[in-house]
Amino acid sequence: MMTKGEIYTTYLLDEGYRPKTDEDGDIVFKYEGMTYILFVAEKDPEYFRLAKFLDAEGCDQTAAMVTCNDVNRQYKAAKATWKNDTIVVSVELFFGEISQFIPVFPRLLDIVDQVSREISDKLGN
């Protein structure tokens, strides 16, 4: 039986991405020139998290938090959080079997990408 990390890596390779495993065991890959992370969390087999980190250094804290709240209300399944000059945009879900992420992965990746772009546009970075 494949581990969650192996399932993610195999899927990404099959789709033409070049995934790498980071020091925490999470899977890092690029999409349209930007870096994304699939968190492996082997101890929680049903949990799925795809994230992108945005540099918010120099952004007004209130504006960053308001923008995060706005996109959280606007987009299904998206979560945007601000902490220490970083905005994390992610989708988090539970699947009965982790391989169930495969049919919806393009949509989840698109959501993270759209939310990230909207935040960047609104904050001017």
Side-chain angles (χ1 to χ4, degrees):
M1 185 169 171
M2 291 173 54
T3 66
K4 215 159 80 165
E6 291 168 338
I7 292 169
Y8 290 162
T9 299
T10 299
Y11 171 77
L12 290 170
L13 286 169
D14 288 347
E15 294 299 309
Y17 298 98
R18 296 190 324 214
K20 296 188 183 329
T21 303
D22 71 8
E23 60 277 356
D24 297 325
D26 299 317
I27 310 301
V28 179
F29 66 99
K30 294 221 182 245
Y31 170 70
E32 294 190 3
M34 305 303 287
T35 301
Y36 292 79
I37 301 173
L38 273 168
F39 290 86
V40 174
E42 294 287 358
K43 292 183 180 179
D44 195 351
E46 294 89 13
Y47 179 66
F48 174 91
R49 182 178 186 212
L50 171 65
K52 179 179 176 182
F53 292 77
L54 303 175
D55 180 9
E57 188 173 348
C59 291
D60 177 73
Q61 178 179 352
T62 301
M65 291 192 308
V66 166
T67 301
C68 287
N69 285 340
D70 288 347
V71 296
N72 287 340
R73 282 190 306 272
Q74 181 181 353
Y75 288 88
K76 296 174 184 170
K79 181 192 288 187
T81 57
W82 180 90
K83 183 179 180 182
N84 299 332
D85 293 331
T86 300
I87 294 174
V88 181
V89 178
S90 63
V91 289
E92 298 180 43
L93 303 139
F94 291 97
F95 293 105
E97 293 183 26
I98 198 59
S99 62
Q100 292 173 331
F101 84 92
I102 292 171
V104 295
F105 184 81
R107 184 173 181 188
L108 298 174
L109 184 58
D110 188 52
I111 289 169
V112 174
D113 183 58
Q114 284 181 30
V115 171
S116 298
R117 289 177 193 275
E118 183 167 331
I119 289 171
S120 293
D121 288 348
K122 285 185 176 182
L123 296 178
N125 59 336

